[in-house]
Amino acid sequence: MVDLVLHPGHSKCGSTTIQDFLYANREIFKKRGVFLPDLNFNFPCHDEYNFTFTHTSRDYFAQVQSGSISIDELSKKLDDLIKSAKELGCRRVIISAENLINGIASKNTKAIHQLFADRFNNIRIVYYVRRQDSLMQAAWQQWGHKDGLNLDAYIEKMSKTRFADFYFIARQLKKYYPTSKLHVFPMISDYLIDNNLLIDFCSRALIDKTNLNFKIDTSNTGVSSALCDSLAKIYDIYETKHDQNVKNTLINAAPNSASLLTKKYKNDLSDESKIKLFDKFETSNVKLHKSFFPTLPFEVMSLRCEENDSDQELLLLKRKIEKLEDLNSIQMDMILQLLKKGN
Protein backbone atom coordinates (compact mmCIF):
# COMPACT_ATOMS: atom_id res chain seq x y z
CA MET A 1 0.00 0.00 0.00
CA VAL A 2 0.97 3.63 -0.58
CA ASP A 3 0.68 6.37 2.05
CA LEU A 4 -1.05 9.68 1.36
CA VAL A 5 -0.59 13.27 2.48
CA LEU A 6 -3.78 15.13 1.62
CA HIS A 7 -3.94 18.92 1.66
CA PRO A 8 -7.53 19.74 0.63
CA GLY A 9 -7.31 23.53 0.69
CA HIS A 10 -8.89 25.86 1.88
CA SER A 11 -8.94 28.71 -0.68
CA LYS A 12 -7.12 31.82 0.61
CA CYS A 13 -5.48 29.80 3.38
CA GLY A 14 -1.98 29.48 1.97
CA SER A 15 -2.85 26.75 -0.54
CA THR A 16 -1.03 28.28 -3.51
CA THR A 17 2.12 28.84 -1.45
CA ILE A 18 2.08 25.20 -0.33
CA GLN A 19 1.50 24.01 -3.90
CA ASP A 20 4.35 26.17 -5.23
CA PHE A 21 6.59 24.71 -2.52
CA LEU A 22 5.69 21.15 -3.51
CA TYR A 23 6.26 21.96 -7.20
CA ALA A 24 9.64 23.58 -6.51
CA ASN A 25 10.80 20.44 -4.68
CA ARG A 26 9.27 17.82 -6.98
CA GLU A 27 12.64 16.35 -8.03
CA ILE A 28 13.76 15.79 -4.44
CA PHE A 29 10.41 14.28 -3.56
CA LYS A 30 10.51 11.87 -6.49
CA LYS A 31 13.99 10.68 -5.55
CA ARG A 32 12.64 9.95 -2.07
CA GLY A 33 9.76 7.92 -3.43
CA VAL A 34 7.25 10.66 -2.73
CA PHE A 35 5.15 11.20 -5.86
CA LEU A 36 3.14 14.24 -6.90
CA PRO A 37 0.52 14.08 -9.67
CA ASP A 38 0.76 16.30 -12.72
CA LEU A 39 -1.95 18.74 -13.73
CA ASN A 40 -4.12 15.94 -15.13
CA PHE A 41 -3.58 13.62 -12.17
CA ASN A 42 -1.15 11.42 -14.05
CA PHE A 43 1.78 9.64 -12.41
CA PRO A 44 4.96 8.09 -13.93
CA CYS A 45 2.99 4.90 -14.62
CA HIS A 46 0.83 6.79 -17.14
CA ASP A 47 1.89 7.46 -20.73
CA GLU A 48 0.47 11.01 -20.51
CA TYR A 49 2.50 11.89 -17.39
CA ASN A 50 4.40 15.17 -17.72
CA PHE A 51 6.93 15.80 -14.96
CA THR A 52 7.28 19.45 -16.02
CA PHE A 53 3.59 20.01 -15.24
CA THR A 54 3.78 18.47 -11.77
CA HIS A 55 1.48 20.70 -9.74
CA THR A 56 -2.02 20.80 -8.26
CA SER A 57 -4.60 18.71 -10.11
CA ARG A 58 -7.29 21.21 -9.11
CA ASP A 59 -8.72 21.62 -12.63
CA TYR A 60 -8.84 17.85 -13.13
CA PHE A 61 -10.76 17.41 -9.87
CA ALA A 62 -13.12 20.21 -10.92
CA GLN A 63 -14.00 18.21 -14.03
CA VAL A 64 -14.64 15.11 -11.92
CA GLN A 65 -16.83 17.19 -9.60
CA SER A 66 -18.81 18.56 -12.55
CA GLY A 67 -19.20 15.11 -14.10
CA SER A 68 -17.31 15.92 -17.32
CA ILE A 69 -14.72 13.33 -16.23
CA SER A 70 -16.10 10.13 -14.76
CA ILE A 71 -15.16 8.94 -11.30
CA ASP A 72 -14.23 5.65 -12.97
CA GLU A 73 -11.37 7.37 -14.82
CA LEU A 74 -9.99 8.70 -11.55
CA SER A 75 -10.39 5.25 -10.01
CA LYS A 76 -8.39 3.64 -12.84
CA LYS A 77 -5.58 6.18 -12.47
CA LEU A 78 -5.33 5.39 -8.78
CA ASP A 79 -5.40 1.65 -9.45
CA ASP A 80 -2.62 2.03 -12.05
CA LEU A 81 -0.50 3.89 -9.51
CA ILE A 82 -1.04 1.41 -6.68
CA LYS A 83 -0.28 -1.58 -8.94
CA SER A 84 3.00 -0.10 -10.18
CA ALA A 85 4.03 1.62 -6.93
CA LYS A 86 6.59 -0.98 -5.85
CA GLU A 87 8.18 -1.11 -9.30
CA LEU A 88 8.36 2.69 -9.49
CA GLY A 89 9.65 3.06 -5.94
CA CYS A 90 6.58 5.04 -4.86
CA ARG A 91 5.95 4.84 -1.14
CA ARG A 92 3.98 8.03 -0.63
CA VAL A 93 1.78 10.48 -2.57
CA ILE A 94 1.07 14.14 -1.83
CA ILE A 95 -2.17 15.62 -3.17
CA SER A 96 -2.99 19.31 -2.76
CA ALA A 97 -6.09 20.91 -4.27
CA GLU A 98 -8.27 23.47 -2.52
CA ASN A 99 -11.42 22.52 -4.43
CA LEU A 100 -11.42 19.13 -2.71
CA ILE A 101 -13.47 20.85 0.00
CA ASN A 102 -15.85 22.51 -2.50
CA GLY A 103 -19.27 20.93 -2.23
CA ILE A 104 -17.68 18.44 0.13
CA ALA A 105 -20.99 16.74 0.87
CA SER A 106 -21.93 16.45 -2.81
CA LYS A 107 -21.99 13.11 -4.59
CA ASN A 108 -18.90 13.51 -6.77
CA THR A 109 -16.67 15.20 -4.20
CA LYS A 110 -17.63 12.53 -1.70
CA ALA A 111 -16.74 9.87 -4.28
CA ILE A 112 -13.27 11.38 -4.76
CA HIS A 113 -12.56 11.23 -1.04
CA GLN A 114 -13.92 7.71 -0.76
CA LEU A 115 -11.53 6.62 -3.51
CA PHE A 116 -8.60 8.16 -1.65
CA ALA A 117 -9.69 6.52 1.60
CA ASP A 118 -9.99 3.11 -0.09
CA ARG A 119 -6.80 3.20 -2.18
CA PHE A 120 -4.24 4.64 0.21
CA ASN A 121 -2.83 3.24 3.42
CA ASN A 122 -1.73 5.65 6.16
CA ILE A 123 -3.39 9.01 5.44
CA ARG A 124 -2.47 12.34 6.99
CA ILE A 125 -4.72 15.33 6.27
CA VAL A 126 -3.52 18.90 6.79
CA TYR A 127 -6.22 21.56 6.59
CA TYR A 128 -5.58 25.24 7.37
CA VAL A 129 -8.28 27.73 8.34
CA ARG A 130 -8.54 31.44 9.16
CA ARG A 131 -11.09 33.81 10.67
CA GLN A 132 -14.02 34.33 8.32
CA ASP A 133 -13.70 38.12 8.27
CA SER A 134 -10.18 38.03 6.83
CA LEU A 135 -11.08 35.02 4.64
CA MET A 136 -14.05 36.81 3.08
CA GLN A 137 -12.06 39.96 2.47
CA ALA A 138 -9.24 38.02 0.78
CA ALA A 139 -11.73 36.06 -1.34
CA TRP A 140 -13.52 39.25 -2.36
CA GLN A 141 -10.24 40.85 -3.41
CA GLN A 142 -9.33 37.73 -5.38
CA TRP A 143 -12.69 36.92 -6.98
CA GLY A 144 -15.77 38.64 -5.58
CA HIS A 145 -15.22 42.16 -6.90
CA LYS A 146 -14.87 40.67 -10.38
CA ASP A 147 -18.61 39.95 -10.28
CA GLY A 148 -19.35 43.61 -9.59
CA LEU A 149 -20.01 43.08 -5.88
CA ASN A 150 -18.81 45.37 -3.13
CA LEU A 151 -17.42 43.74 0.01
CA ASP A 152 -20.67 43.86 1.99
CA ALA A 153 -22.65 42.35 -0.89
CA TYR A 154 -20.07 39.58 -1.30
CA ILE A 155 -20.21 38.72 2.40
CA GLU A 156 -24.00 38.66 2.21
CA LYS A 157 -23.81 36.22 -0.72
CA MET A 158 -21.11 33.91 0.67
CA SER A 159 -22.60 33.78 4.17
CA LYS A 160 -25.48 31.81 2.66
CA THR A 161 -23.08 29.04 1.57
CA ARG A 162 -20.81 26.53 3.33
CA PHE A 163 -17.71 28.21 1.88
CA ALA A 164 -16.46 29.48 5.26
CA ASP A 165 -17.96 26.87 7.60
CA PHE A 166 -14.70 25.21 8.58
CA TYR A 167 -16.24 23.02 11.26
CA PHE A 168 -18.73 21.53 8.81
CA ILE A 169 -15.91 20.82 6.34
CA ALA A 170 -13.66 19.33 9.03
CA ARG A 171 -16.48 17.05 10.19
CA GLN A 172 -17.00 15.82 6.65
CA LEU A 173 -13.27 15.10 6.29
CA LYS A 174 -13.34 13.18 9.55
CA LYS A 175 -16.36 11.26 8.30
CA TYR A 176 -14.61 10.27 5.05
CA TYR A 177 -11.33 9.40 6.78
CA PRO A 178 -12.38 8.11 10.24
CA THR A 179 -9.09 6.33 11.01
CA SER A 180 -6.76 8.96 9.53
CA LYS A 181 -4.83 11.73 11.24
CA LEU A 182 -6.59 15.04 10.60
CA HIS A 183 -4.75 18.28 11.42
CA VAL A 184 -6.93 21.40 11.39
CA PHE A 185 -5.03 24.54 12.33
CA PRO A 186 -5.38 28.32 11.96
CA MET A 187 -3.05 29.96 9.46
CA ILE A 188 -1.66 32.47 11.94
CA SER A 189 2.10 33.00 11.91
CA ASP A 190 2.45 33.35 15.69
CA TYR A 191 1.15 29.82 16.22
CA LEU A 192 2.68 28.02 13.25
CA ILE A 193 5.77 25.90 13.85
CA ASP A 194 8.79 28.23 13.52
CA ASN A 195 6.24 30.89 12.52
CA ASN A 196 6.43 29.51 8.99
CA LEU A 197 3.56 27.98 6.99
CA LEU A 198 5.75 25.65 4.93
CA ILE A 199 7.73 24.31 7.89
CA ASP A 200 4.46 23.88 9.77
CA PHE A 201 2.98 21.97 6.82
CA CYS A 202 5.99 19.65 6.60
CA SER A 203 5.91 19.00 10.33
CA ARG A 204 2.21 18.11 10.37
CA ALA A 205 2.53 16.01 7.22
CA LEU A 206 5.67 14.25 8.50
CA ILE A 207 7.68 15.43 5.49
CA ASP A 208 11.46 15.30 5.82
CA LYS A 209 12.59 18.95 5.59
CA THR A 210 16.23 18.10 4.79
CA ASN A 211 17.54 19.90 1.66
CA LEU A 212 14.10 21.17 0.65
CA ASN A 213 13.78 24.66 -0.83
CA PHE A 214 11.67 26.84 1.46
CA LYS A 215 12.40 30.11 -0.33
CA ILE A 216 9.00 30.41 -1.99
CA ASP A 217 7.64 33.83 -2.87
CA THR A 218 4.17 34.64 -1.61
CA SER A 219 1.81 34.28 -4.56
CA ASN A 220 -1.84 34.66 -5.49
CA THR A 221 -2.29 37.91 -3.56
CA GLY A 222 -5.18 40.11 -4.58
CA VAL A 223 -4.99 43.82 -5.34
CA SER A 224 -5.81 46.26 -2.54
CA SER A 225 -9.38 46.82 -1.43
CA ALA A 226 -9.07 50.45 -2.56
CA LEU A 227 -8.57 49.24 -6.13
CA CYS A 228 -11.22 46.53 -5.76
CA ASP A 229 -13.79 49.12 -4.71
CA SER A 230 -13.20 50.90 -8.03
CA LEU A 231 -12.78 47.79 -10.18
CA ALA A 232 -16.09 46.36 -8.93
CA LYS A 233 -17.81 49.28 -10.64
CA ILE A 234 -16.23 48.40 -14.02
CA TYR A 235 -16.16 44.62 -13.57
CA ASP A 236 -16.85 43.99 -17.28
CA ILE A 237 -13.11 44.36 -17.81
CA TYR A 238 -12.69 40.84 -16.41
CA GLU A 239 -13.18 37.87 -18.71
CA THR A 240 -13.65 35.46 -15.79
CA LYS A 241 -13.28 35.59 -12.03
CA HIS A 242 -9.86 33.95 -12.45
CA ASP A 243 -8.66 36.65 -14.88
CA GLN A 244 -5.27 37.99 -13.73
CA ASN A 245 -4.70 40.28 -16.73
CA VAL A 246 -6.04 43.40 -15.02
CA LYS A 247 -3.80 42.85 -12.00
CA ASN A 248 -0.77 42.30 -14.23
CA THR A 249 -1.62 45.40 -16.27
CA LEU A 250 -1.78 47.52 -13.12
CA ILE A 251 1.56 46.16 -11.89
CA ASN A 252 3.22 46.90 -15.23
CA ALA A 253 1.64 50.34 -15.53
CA ALA A 254 2.60 51.46 -12.02
CA PRO A 255 5.96 49.82 -11.24
CA ASN A 256 6.71 52.21 -8.36
CA SER A 257 3.44 51.48 -6.56
CA ALA A 258 3.88 47.81 -5.67
CA SER A 259 3.19 48.36 -1.97
CA LEU A 260 0.06 50.39 -2.70
CA LEU A 261 -1.30 47.91 -5.24
CA THR A 262 -1.51 45.18 -2.60
CA LYS A 263 -1.88 47.34 0.53
CA LYS A 264 -4.05 46.04 3.37
CA TYR A 265 -6.37 48.41 5.23
CA LYS A 266 -7.90 48.17 8.70
CA ASN A 267 -11.64 48.33 9.31
CA ASP A 268 -12.71 47.38 5.78
CA LEU A 269 -15.77 45.47 7.01
CA SER A 270 -18.89 47.39 7.95
CA ASP A 271 -20.50 46.80 11.35
CA GLU A 272 -23.40 45.08 9.56
CA SER A 273 -21.05 42.58 7.91
CA LYS A 274 -19.19 41.92 11.16
CA ILE A 275 -22.48 41.14 12.92
CA LYS A 276 -23.58 38.91 10.04
CA LEU A 277 -20.37 36.88 10.19
CA PHE A 278 -20.57 36.57 13.96
CA ASP A 279 -24.15 35.34 13.86
CA LYS A 280 -23.36 32.86 11.10
CA PHE A 281 -20.04 31.36 12.22
CA GLU A 282 -19.21 32.07 15.87
CA THR A 283 -20.93 28.96 17.23
CA SER A 284 -19.30 26.79 14.56
CA ASN A 285 -15.90 28.33 15.35
CA VAL A 286 -16.32 27.48 19.04
CA LYS A 287 -16.79 23.81 18.11
CA LEU A 288 -13.88 23.93 15.66
CA HIS A 289 -11.58 25.40 18.29
CA LYS A 290 -12.62 22.91 20.96
CA SER A 291 -12.25 19.93 18.62
CA PHE A 292 -8.97 20.68 16.85
CA PHE A 293 -6.80 23.33 18.55
CA PRO A 294 -8.10 23.83 22.11
CA THR A 295 -4.69 24.86 23.50
CA LEU A 296 -4.73 28.09 21.45
CA PRO A 297 -6.64 31.16 22.63
CA PHE A 298 -10.11 31.25 21.08
CA GLU A 299 -9.40 34.78 19.83
CA VAL A 300 -7.63 33.23 16.82
CA MET A 301 -11.08 32.33 15.46
CA SER A 302 -13.47 34.56 17.41
CA LEU A 303 -15.59 36.97 15.39
CA ARG A 304 -16.91 38.84 18.43
CA CYS A 305 -17.39 42.49 17.53
CA GLU A 306 -15.58 45.12 19.52
CA GLU A 307 -17.53 47.78 21.32
CA ASN A 308 -18.60 50.55 18.97
CA ASP A 309 -16.08 53.35 19.09
CA SER A 310 -17.57 56.80 19.52
CA ASP A 311 -15.21 57.94 16.78
CA GLN A 312 -16.14 55.10 14.41
CA GLU A 313 -17.54 57.42 11.75
CA LEU A 314 -14.39 59.51 11.86
CA LEU A 315 -12.22 56.38 11.54
CA LEU A 316 -14.22 55.22 8.52
CA LEU A 317 -13.87 58.65 6.93
CA LYS A 318 -10.10 58.60 7.50
CA ARG A 319 -9.91 55.18 5.87
CA LYS A 320 -11.79 56.41 2.79
CA ILE A 321 -9.48 59.43 2.50
CA GLU A 322 -6.43 57.17 2.86
CA LYS A 323 -7.70 54.97 0.04
CA LEU A 324 -8.36 57.95 -2.23
CA GLU A 325 -4.88 59.30 -1.57
CA ASP A 326 -3.37 55.92 -2.42
CA LEU A 327 -5.41 55.70 -5.63
CA ASN A 328 -4.21 59.17 -6.60
CA SER A 329 -0.61 58.10 -6.05
CA ILE A 330 -1.08 55.00 -8.22
CA GLN A 331 -2.66 57.09 -10.96
CA MET A 332 0.18 59.62 -10.79
CA ASP A 333 2.67 56.78 -11.18
CA MET A 334 0.78 55.60 -14.29
CA ILE A 335 0.72 59.13 -15.76
CA LEU A 336 4.47 59.52 -15.25
CA GLN A 337 5.12 56.16 -16.90
CA LEU A 338 3.02 57.21 -19.91
CA LEU A 339 4.85 60.55 -20.14
CA LYS A 340 8.20 58.75 -20.10
CA LYS A 341 7.11 56.52 -22.94
CA GLY A 342 5.76 59.53 -24.84
CA ASN A 343 9.06 61.32 -24.58
Side-chain angles (χ1 to χ4, degrees), residues 268-293:
D268 262 353
L269 272 67
S270 67
D271 287 344
E272 290 78 12
S273 286
K274 291 177 182 178
I275 293 170
K276 188 180 297 294
L277 290 176
F278 177 88
D279 291 343
K280 175 72 176 182
F281 298 111
E282 185 78 354
T283 300
S284 175
N285 285 353
V286 169
K287 296 177 181 177
L288 183 80
H289 171 259
K290 183 178 180 180
S291 299
F292 295 102
F293 39 92

mmCIF file of all heavy atoms in Angstrom, residues 268-293:
data_model
loop_
_atom_site.group_PDB
_atom_site.id
_atom_site.type_symbol
_atom_site.label_atom_id
_atom_site.label_comp_id
_atom_site.label_asym_id
_atom_site.label_seq_id
_atom_site.Cartn_x
_atom_site.Cartn_y
_atom_site.Cartn_z
ATOM 1 N N ASP A 268 -12.041 47.416 7.082
ATOM 2 C CA ASP A 268 -12.713 47.376 5.781
ATOM 3 C C ASP A 268 -14.153 46.887 5.892
ATOM 4 O O ASP A 268 -15.005 47.251 5.093
ATOM 5 C CB ASP A 268 -11.945 46.488 4.805
ATOM 6 C CG ASP A 268 -11.052 47.301 3.875
ATOM 7 O OD1 ASP A 268 -11.140 48.532 3.920
ATOM 8 O OD2 ASP A 268 -10.279 46.707 3.116
ATOM 9 N N LEU A 269 -14.427 46.022 6.871
ATOM 10 C CA LEU A 269 -15.769 45.467 7.007
ATOM 11 C C LEU A 269 -16.684 46.428 7.761
ATOM 12 O O LEU A 269 -16.291 47.015 8.765
ATOM 13 C CB LEU A 269 -15.729 44.135 7.757
ATOM 14 C CG LEU A 269 -15.507 42.870 6.926
ATOM 15 C CD1 LEU A 269 -14.114 42.864 6.334
ATOM 16 C CD2 LEU A 269 -15.737 41.631 7.769
ATOM 17 N N SER A 270 -17.900 46.562 7.266
ATOM 18 C CA SER A 270 -18.888 47.390 7.951
ATOM 19 C C SER A 270 -19.358 46.664 9.214
ATOM 20 O O SER A 270 -19.194 45.445 9.353
ATOM 21 C CB SER A 270 -20.086 47.646 7.043
ATOM 22 O OG SER A 270 -20.791 46.433 6.810
ATOM 23 N N ASP A 271 -19.968 47.419 10.140
ATOM 24 C CA ASP A 271 -20.504 46.800 11.353
ATOM 25 C C ASP A 271 -21.560 45.755 11.010
ATOM 26 O O ASP A 271 -21.659 44.715 11.669
ATOM 27 C CB ASP A 271 -21.118 47.870 12.266
ATOM 28 C CG ASP A 271 -20.054 48.720 12.950
ATOM 29 O OD1 ASP A 271 -18.881 48.298 12.955
ATOM 30 O OD2 ASP A 271 -20.395 49.802 13.467
ATOM 31 N N GLU A 272 -22.348 46.024 9.957
ATOM 32 C CA GLU A 272 -23.396 45.082 9.557
ATOM 33 C C GLU A 272 -22.785 43.744 9.116
ATOM 34 O O GLU A 272 -23.302 42.670 9.476
ATOM 35 C CB GLU A 272 -24.225 45.674 8.423
ATOM 36 C CG GLU A 272 -25.115 46.842 8.810
ATOM 37 C CD GLU A 272 -24.364 48.151 8.962
ATOM 38 O OE1 GLU A 272 -23.176 48.219 8.557
ATOM 39 O OE2 GLU A 272 -24.951 49.112 9.493
ATOM 40 N N SER A 273 -21.692 43.814 8.369
ATOM 41 C CA SER A 273 -21.047 42.582 7.911
ATOM 42 C C SER A 273 -20.403 41.835 9.069
ATOM 43 O O SER A 273 -20.441 40.596 9.127
ATOM 44 C CB SER A 273 -19.993 42.902 6.849
ATOM 45 O OG SER A 273 -20.608 43.232 5.615
ATOM 46 N N LYS A 274 -19.802 42.552 9.997
ATOM 47 C CA LYS A 274 -19.195 41.917 11.163
ATOM 48 C C LYS A 274 -20.240 41.159 11.977
ATOM 49 O O LYS A 274 -20.011 40.022 12.407
ATOM 50 C CB LYS A 274 -18.509 42.963 12.037
ATOM 51 C CG LYS A 274 -17.273 43.592 11.418
ATOM 52 C CD LYS A 274 -16.694 44.674 12.320
ATOM 53 C CE LYS A 274 -15.498 45.346 11.684
ATOM 54 N NZ LYS A 274 -14.957 46.441 12.534
ATOM 55 N N ILE A 275 -21.396 41.784 12.176
ATOM 56 C CA ILE A 275 -22.482 41.137 12.920
ATOM 57 C C ILE A 275 -22.991 39.909 12.173
ATOM 58 O O ILE A 275 -23.263 38.856 12.765
ATOM 59 C CB ILE A 275 -23.628 42.139 13.174
ATOM 60 C CG1 ILE A 275 -23.163 43.238 14.129
ATOM 61 C CG2 ILE A 275 -24.862 41.426 13.729
ATOM 62 C CD1 ILE A 275 -24.134 44.396 14.260
ATOM 63 N N LYS A 276 -23.096 40.028 10.863
ATOM 64 C CA LYS A 276 -23.581 38.910 10.042
ATOM 65 C C LYS A 276 -22.636 37.706 10.154
ATOM 66 O O LYS A 276 -23.083 36.557 10.311
ATOM 67 C CB LYS A 276 -23.700 39.355 8.582
ATOM 68 C CG LYS A 276 -24.381 38.327 7.676
ATOM 69 C CD LYS A 276 -24.468 38.827 6.255
ATOM 70 C CE LYS A 276 -25.317 40.066 6.173
ATOM 71 N NZ LYS A 276 -26.738 39.805 6.503
ATOM 72 N N LEU A 277 -21.342 37.963 10.084
ATOM 73 C CA LEU A 277 -20.370 36.880 10.188
ATOM 74 C C LEU A 277 -20.381 36.260 11.582
ATOM 75 O O LEU A 277 -20.282 35.040 11.735
ATOM 76 C CB LEU A 277 -18.967 37.399 9.856
ATOM 77 C CG LEU A 277 -18.720 37.773 8.389
ATOM 78 C CD1 LEU A 277 -17.330 38.376 8.211
ATOM 79 C CD2 LEU A 277 -18.875 36.548 7.480
ATOM 80 N N PHE A 278 -20.504 37.088 12.592
ATOM 81 C CA PHE A 278 -20.568 36.574 13.962
ATOM 82 C C PHE A 278 -21.773 35.655 14.138
ATOM 83 O O PHE A 278 -21.654 34.534 14.650
ATOM 84 C CB PHE A 278 -20.641 37.742 14.955
ATOM 85 C CG PHE A 278 -20.780 37.297 16.386
ATOM 86 C CD1 PHE A 278 -19.645 37.022 17.150
ATOM 87 C CD2 PHE A 278 -22.033 37.141 16.973
ATOM 88 C CE1 PHE A 278 -19.766 36.597 18.474
ATOM 89 C CE2 PHE A 278 -22.157 36.720 18.294
ATOM 90 C CZ PHE A 278 -21.022 36.448 19.040
ATOM 91 N N ASP A 279 -22.933 36.116 13.707
ATOM 92 C CA ASP A 279 -24.155 35.336 13.856
ATOM 93 C C ASP A 279 -24.085 34.018 13.087
ATOM 94 O O ASP A 279 -24.619 32.996 13.530
ATOM 95 C CB ASP A 279 -25.366 36.147 13.375
ATOM 96 C CG ASP A 279 -25.695 37.322 14.291
ATOM 97 O OD1 ASP A 279 -25.216 37.319 15.444
ATOM 98 O OD2 ASP A 279 -26.416 38.235 13.849
ATOM 99 N N LYS A 280 -23.419 34.044 11.956
ATOM 100 C CA LYS A 280 -23.359 32.863 11.101
ATOM 101 C C LYS A 280 -22.329 31.833 11.575
ATOM 102 O O LYS A 280 -22.587 30.624 11.550
ATOM 103 C CB LYS A 280 -23.026 33.299 9.669
ATOM 104 C CG LYS A 280 -22.817 32.168 8.670
ATOM 105 C CD LYS A 280 -24.099 31.474 8.300
ATOM 106 C CE LYS A 280 -23.855 30.421 7.216
ATOM 107 N NZ LYS A 280 -25.113 29.759 6.808
ATOM 108 N N PHE A 281 -21.152 32.283 12.033
ATOM 109 C CA PHE A 281 -20.038 31.356 12.215
ATOM 110 C C PHE A 281 -19.476 31.238 13.636
ATOM 111 O O PHE A 281 -18.677 30.331 13.887
ATOM 112 C CB PHE A 281 -18.876 31.748 11.280
ATOM 113 C CG PHE A 281 -19.209 31.675 9.824
ATOM 114 C CD1 PHE A 281 -19.311 32.827 9.062
ATOM 115 C CD2 PHE A 281 -19.438 30.452 9.206
ATOM 116 C CE1 PHE A 281 -19.613 32.766 7.708
ATOM 117 C CE2 PHE A 281 -19.746 30.377 7.856
ATOM 118 C CZ PHE A 281 -19.839 31.541 7.099
ATOM 119 N N GLU A 282 -19.847 32.108 14.555
ATOM 120 C CA GLU A 282 -19.206 32.072 15.874
ATOM 121 C C GLU A 282 -19.431 30.741 16.585
ATOM 122 O O GLU A 282 -18.489 30.162 17.141
ATOM 123 C CB GLU A 282 -19.706 33.236 16.733
ATOM 124 C CG GLU A 282 -19.002 33.360 18.078
ATOM 125 C CD GLU A 282 -17.627 33.992 17.992
ATOM 126 O OE1 GLU A 282 -17.154 34.246 16.857
ATOM 127 O OE2 GLU A 282 -17.019 34.240 19.048
ATOM 128 N N THR A 283 -20.638 30.228 16.562
ATOM 129 C CA THR A 283 -20.926 28.956 17.229
ATOM 130 C C THR A 283 -20.137 27.812 16.600
ATOM 131 O O THR A 283 -19.569 26.960 17.299
ATOM 132 C CB THR A 283 -22.429 28.633 17.164
ATOM 133 O OG1 THR A 283 -23.164 29.680 17.815
ATOM 134 C CG2 THR A 283 -22.725 27.309 17.845
ATOM 135 N N SER A 284 -20.072 27.808 15.276
ATOM 136 C CA SER A 284 -19.297 26.791 14.561
ATOM 137 C C SER A 284 -17.821 26.896 14.897
ATOM 138 O O SER A 284 -17.127 25.881 15.073
ATOM 139 C CB SER A 284 -19.505 26.963 13.043
ATOM 140 O OG SER A 284 -18.693 26.069 12.314
ATOM 141 N N ASN A 285 -17.312 28.133 15.023
ATOM 142 C CA ASN A 285 -15.903 28.332 15.351
ATOM 143 C C ASN A 285 -15.567 27.842 16.755
ATOM 144 O O ASN A 285 -14.466 27.343 17.011
ATOM 145 C CB ASN A 285 -15.533 29.809 15.217
ATOM 146 C CG ASN A 285 -15.404 30.245 13.765
ATOM 147 O OD1 ASN A 285 -15.470 29.430 12.859
ATOM 148 N ND2 ASN A 285 -15.223 31.530 13.551
ATOM 149 N N VAL A 286 -16.517 27.989 17.678
ATOM 150 C CA VAL A 286 -16.318 27.482 19.040
ATOM 151 C C VAL A 286 -16.102 25.968 18.999
ATOM 152 O O VAL A 286 -15.192 25.427 19.644
ATOM 153 C CB VAL A 286 -17.528 27.829 19.935
ATOM 154 C CG1 VAL A 286 -17.449 27.076 21.266
ATOM 155 C CG2 VAL A 286 -17.593 29.329 20.188
ATOM 156 N N LYS A 287 -16.911 25.272 18.235
ATOM 157 C CA LYS A 287 -16.788 23.815 18.113
ATOM 158 C C LYS A 287 -15.492 23.428 17.413
ATOM 159 O O LYS A 287 -14.838 22.449 17.797
ATOM 160 C CB LYS A 287 -17.992 23.258 17.339
ATOM 161 C CG LYS A 287 -19.321 23.446 18.048
ATOM 162 C CD LYS A 287 -20.472 22.947 17.193
ATOM 163 C CE LYS A 287 -21.818 23.156 17.879
ATOM 164 N NZ LYS A 287 -22.944 22.724 17.011
ATOM 165 N N LEU A 288 -15.124 24.182 16.384
ATOM 166 C CA LEU A 288 -13.875 23.927 15.661
ATOM 167 C C LEU A 288 -12.685 24.049 16.601
ATOM 168 O O LEU A 288 -11.799 23.178 16.631
ATOM 169 C CB LEU A 288 -13.737 24.919 14.503
ATOM 170 C CG LEU A 288 -12.516 24.750 13.604
ATOM 171 C CD1 LEU A 288 -12.764 23.632 12.602
ATOM 172 C CD2 LEU A 288 -12.190 26.050 12.863
ATOM 173 N N HIS A 289 -12.669 25.141 17.351
ATOM 174 C CA HIS A 289 -11.577 25.402 18.287
ATOM 175 C C HIS A 289 -11.481 24.299 19.338
ATOM 176 O O HIS A 289 -10.397 23.760 19.614
ATOM 177 C CB HIS A 289 -11.808 26.766 18.947
ATOM 178 C CG HIS A 289 -10.880 27.060 20.081
ATOM 179 N ND1 HIS A 289 -11.273 26.922 21.397
ATOM 180 C CD2 HIS A 289 -9.589 27.476 20.105
ATOM 181 C CE1 HIS A 289 -10.261 27.249 22.189
ATOM 182 N NE2 HIS A 289 -9.231 27.588 21.433
ATOM 183 N N LYS A 290 -12.596 23.929 19.912
ATOM 184 C CA LYS A 290 -12.621 22.911 20.962
ATOM 185 C C LYS A 290 -12.179 21.548 20.434
ATOM 186 O O LYS A 290 -11.503 20.782 21.137
ATOM 187 C CB LYS A 290 -14.031 22.810 21.546
ATOM 188 C CG LYS A 290 -14.155 21.825 22.704
ATOM 189 C CD LYS A 290 -15.571 21.828 23.262
ATOM 190 C CE LYS A 290 -15.709 20.847 24.411
ATOM 191 N NZ LYS A 290 -17.088 20.831 24.974
ATOM 192 N N SER A 291 -12.517 21.251 19.187
ATOM 193 C CA SER A 291 -12.249 19.929 18.623
ATOM 194 C C SER A 291 -10.823 19.764 18.100
ATOM 195 O O SER A 291 -10.257 18.665 18.168
ATOM 196 C CB SER A 291 -13.222 19.642 17.475
ATOM 197 O OG SER A 291 -14.560 19.643 17.919
ATOM 198 N N PHE A 292 -10.226 20.854 17.588
ATOM 199 C CA PHE A 292 -8.969 20.684 16.854
ATOM 200 C C PHE A 292 -7.761 21.477 17.373
ATOM 201 O O PHE A 292 -6.640 21.040 17.195
ATOM 202 C CB PHE A 292 -9.203 21.025 15.380
ATOM 203 C CG PHE A 292 -10.149 20.097 14.692
ATOM 204 C CD1 PHE A 292 -11.465 20.470 14.455
ATOM 205 C CD2 PHE A 292 -9.745 18.831 14.305
ATOM 206 C CE1 PHE A 292 -12.354 19.603 13.824
ATOM 207 C CE2 PHE A 292 -10.618 17.952 13.677
ATOM 208 C CZ PHE A 292 -11.931 18.332 13.440
ATOM 209 N N PHE A 293 -7.956 22.610 18.013
ATOM 210 C CA PHE A 293 -6.796 23.330 18.552
ATOM 211 C C PHE A 293 -7.173 24.040 19.865
ATOM 212 O O PHE A 293 -7.057 25.258 19.978
ATOM 213 C CB PHE A 293 -6.215 24.316 17.536
ATOM 214 C CG PHE A 293 -7.236 25.071 16.710
ATOM 215 C CD1 PHE A 293 -7.723 26.311 17.114
ATOM 216 C CD2 PHE A 293 -7.704 24.558 15.502
ATOM 217 C CE1 PHE A 293 -8.646 27.004 16.369
ATOM 218 C CE2 PHE A 293 -8.638 25.253 14.736
ATOM 219 C CZ PHE A 293 -9.108 26.482 15.180
#
